[in-house]
Amino acid sequence: MKILLFFIISLMSGALSFAQHIKLININSDLYPYIKITIEIPQNFQKEQIQVYASEKKIDFKLVPIKKENPSYLFYIIDYNSFGKNEQNFIFDALINSLENIEKENLYINIGLAQSNHIYKCFSPLSYAYTSDIKDFILYSKQNTINYGKVINPECLIKEGIDFLKQTDISKNSHQTIIFICNNIKNYAQANSILKVANETSGIHLKIVAPIVDTLNIKPNNFYSVSGTKDLHAWQKALLQASEEDDLTNLSANKQYLIEFKLNEHLPSGIIKIQYNNELLKLKITKPEKQYFFKEHFYLIIVGILGIIILMLLRRIYLLKKHIRNLKETISMLFDKKMKILSKQTENPVLEIKLEDSFKNYHIKKPSTTIGRGKECDIKIKDMTVSTLHATITNEGGEFYIQDNESTNGVFVNDIKIEKKNIKPGDIIRLGKAILTLHY
């Protein structure tokens, strides 16, 4: 009985000692003598634990983690009230430059700003969905930010940003990263406090990019410091580091890795040994044989070559016809566009004037049209919020411009105060209490 028990224990211990934790996925020797072997190891490990031997000789190799190309969702929350107007433009330009250096196809972004609205008290998303049109979206964001000068609590901003992301139509398995860009953090302790706001939220990763100087020098994780608000290179570098995915080399179980190496070309075939944690995986690598064509295949080869040449000629003819068609369409489009411009230049636009509950239309026919409360004005608006000679609309080559004549209450186009600006149909022009809209 004791002998039988000893025999069973011996078998079990032997089985455990030869259990393989390294799994072969694929061998690619198409580019011999360059070999690529895909393995899977269900635990964390260091590169030093892997050794590769060819003909009992240790060889150099490259180890690359195989990452799944899942979509990356980056949500930038910008506390733009903590920056001046010039610095805001500076941050948006640095953001564009940093994202252009990220080599990833499935990249989607969104932007939230420090601003209250009817839903949030300190946060406002510029869009309710992520977009892959990165540069155009950032330029749109740059043009649609208005600095109200209101101080926003960073913790409140992040909390409401997380609440917004919880409602987005993103798979629960997807990873969303918040990148908080601000100039309103005093020290690393406050940065840590903000990072803790997102700790209890699964699927959302918070990072902070900000220029602070902390004498304690205890930098928290996921914080990317910038030397100054006007150092473009520093901002681009910090935003690039924050926007890139975290390194997956040492993450947990069931990860696949690619082992790449070169064999001695004089070795037609041989046994490759991959040693991992005192375990060996033996693989036989065979040099691919050269394929030769037999004489009976000669005519088939000739027919195939002729077929390819005919297909190339047909494709060339098709592309030429397509190019001619596109050229005709382009010429027609340019002609139509020119005709529209000419017709637009001869067309008299209508200026709709709204004052409280009254409406009035005025056809602009003169090269220069004055607007104000005074009797000498072409367009008279009887309201004390409108100056005597408030503004002038001029026709300059078919394009219309409005100019402020040093009025008391100013001229606003789409809620932006101007001195002189080109106006388009649909633009909202405000002179005191009067609202003007240009139509054709």
Side-chain angles (χ1 to χ4, degrees), residues 62-102:
K62 181 181 178 182
L63 187 68
V64 182
I66 299 177
K67 303 178 184 179
K68 294 181 179 179
E69 286 297 321
N70 292 325
S72 292
Y73 297 96
L74 301 179
F75 187 62
Y76 295 90
I77 297 181
I78 305 176
D79 185 4
Y80 66 97
N81 283 319
S82 64
F83 298 98
K85 183 61 180 177
N86 292 334
E87 292 171 347
Q88 289 177 25
N89 296 333
F90 188 84
I91 296 301
F92 283 116
D93 291 339
L95 186 56
I96 289 175
N97 292 336
S98 65
L99 289 175
E100 284 179 344
N101 291 320
I102 296 180

Side-chain angles (χ1 to χ4, degrees), residues 58-252:
K58 186 177 177 180
I59 60 175
D60 295 329
F61 64 94
K62 181 181 178 182
L63 187 68
V64 182
I66 299 177
K67 303 178 184 179
K68 294 181 179 179
E69 286 297 321
N70 292 325
S72 292
Y73 297 96
L74 301 179
F75 187 62
Y76 295 90
I77 297 181
I78 305 176
D79 185 4
Y80 66 97
N81 283 319
S82 64
F83 298 98
K85 183 61 180 177
N86 292 334
E87 292 171 347
Q88 289 177 25
N89 296 333
F90 188 84
I91 296 301
F92 283 116
D93 291 339
L95 186 56
I96 289 175
N97 292 336
S98 65
L99 289 175
E100 284 179 344
N101 291 320
I102 296 180
E103 297 180 358
K104 186 170 180 63
E105 294 182 0
N106 300 326
L107 180 62
Y108 300 88
I109 72 161
N110 196 359
I111 294 178
L113 301 174
Q115 178 183 332
S116 61
N117 58 27
H118 65 286
I119 299 176
Y120 301 103
K121 62 182 180 181
C122 58
F123 165 82
S124 179
L126 281 172
S127 173
Y128 283 85
Y130 284 96
T131 178
S132 59
D133 297 328
I134 294 173
K135 186 173 181 179
D136 290 342
F137 183 62
I138 295 176
L139 290 174
Y140 164 80
S141 307
K142 178 179 177 180
Q143 296 166 0
N144 287 275
T145 56
I146 303 175
N147 196 331
Y148 292 102
K150 181 181 178 182
V151 178
I152 297 295
N153 183 296
E155 287 87 347
C156 170
L157 192 56
I158 295 302
K159 183 177 181 299
E160 292 190 353
I162 292 173
D163 292 340
F164 167 75
L165 287 185
K166 287 180 180 178
Q167 302 173 31
T168 55
D169 188 20
I170 301 295
S171 170
K172 293 182 178 179
N173 297 324
S174 298
H175 185 77
Q176 297 183 87
T177 300
I178 295 178
I179 300 177
F180 183 36
I181 305 171
C182 63
N183 189 26
N184 194 26
I185 298 179
K186 298 178 181 178
N187 49 48
Y188 288 151
Q190 186 182 10
N192 251 326
S193 175
I194 297 170
L195 288 165
K196 287 179 181 178
V197 175
N199 284 348
E200 297 179 358
T201 306
S202 61
I204 297 176
H205 192 196
L206 174 61
K207 300 180 181 181
I208 300 176
V209 182
I212 66 171
V213 177
D214 194 329
T215 55
L216 296 177
N217 200 29
I218 305 174
K219 182 179 176 182
N221 293 329
N222 301 326
F223 183 88
Y224 302 85
S225 58
V226 184
S227 59
T229 55
K230 295 185 179 179
D231 188 344
L232 180 62
H233 178 72
W235 273 102
Q236 288 177 191
K237 182 179 178 182
L239 288 171
L240 177 61
Q241 290 175 342
S243 302
E244 287 180 330
E245 289 186 354
D246 296 325
D247 183 20
L248 301 180
T249 304
N250 292 318
L251 291 185
S252 59

Side-chain angles (χ1 to χ4, degrees), residues 208-409:
I208 300 176
V209 182
I212 66 171
V213 177
D214 194 329
T215 55
L216 296 177
N217 200 29
I218 305 174
K219 182 179 176 182
N221 293 329
N222 301 326
F223 183 88
Y224 302 85
S225 58
V226 184
S227 59
T229 55
K230 295 185 179 179
D231 188 344
L232 180 62
H233 178 72
W235 273 102
Q236 288 177 191
K237 182 179 178 182
L239 288 171
L240 177 61
Q241 290 175 342
S243 302
E244 287 180 330
E245 289 186 354
D246 296 325
D247 183 20
L248 301 180
T249 304
N250 292 318
L251 291 185
S252 59
N254 297 311
K255 298 296 179 183
Q256 293 184 357
Y257 296 84
L258 183 66
I259 297 176
E260 300 180 69
F261 55 88
K262 181 182 178 182
L263 286 175
N264 187 333
E265 295 187 32
H266 300 294
L267 181 68
S269 63
I271 299 296
I272 302 297
K273 294 181 181 179
I274 300 176
Q275 180 175 307
Y276 163 68
N277 200 18
N278 298 322
E279 296 175 356
L280 284 178
L281 181 65
K282 294 184 178 181
L283 312 170
K284 186 173 182 180
I285 304 295
T286 303
K287 185 176 181 180
E289 296 180 0
K290 293 183 179 180
Q291 301 295 326
Y292 298 95
F293 293 101
F294 297 101
K295 291 181 179 180
E296 55 264 33
H297 296 149
F298 177 78
Y299 294 107
L300 292 176
I301 296 170
I302 296 298
V303 171
I305 293 173
L306 290 174
I308 293 172
I309 293 173
I310 292 171
L311 288 175
M312 290 176 67
L313 288 173
L314 290 174
R315 184 176 182 274
R316 189 72 177 176
I317 294 170
Y318 167 77
L319 292 175
L320 186 60
K321 288 184 176 180
K322 184 178 179 181
H323 179 70
I324 293 171
R325 185 171 65 252
N326 291 339
L327 188 60
K328 289 180 179 179
E329 291 175 355
T330 303
I331 293 172
S332 176
M333 183 180 66
L334 291 173
F335 178 79
D336 292 343
K337 187 175 181 180
K338 184 175 181 180
M339 293 303 296
K340 287 180 180 179
I341 293 173
L342 291 174
S343 63
K344 181 180 177 182
Q345 291 177 352
T346 58
E347 186 177 1
N348 293 324
V350 176
L351 191 66
E352 180 188 89
I353 305 168
K354 176 184 177 185
L355 182 62
E356 295 181 347
D357 294 330
S358 64
F359 290 87
K360 184 179 179 181
N361 289 334
Y362 181 87
H363 290 268
I364 299 176
K365 300 178 181 179
K366 299 169 63 178
S368 177
T369 304
T370 55
I371 307 172
R373 200 175 70 250
K375 295 180 179 180
E376 69 278 6
C377 293
D378 298 312
I379 301 176
K380 300 177 185 63
I381 302 176
K382 296 181 180 181
D383 189 88
M384 294 305 296
T385 62
V386 179
S387 298
T388 304
L389 181 58
H390 201 115
T392 303
I393 294 179
T394 56
N395 184 344
E396 301 178 15
E399 295 289 333
F400 289 86
Y401 291 80
I402 187 166
Q403 179 174 335
D404 186 1
N405 295 330
E406 298 182 356
S407 62
T408 302
N409 293 322

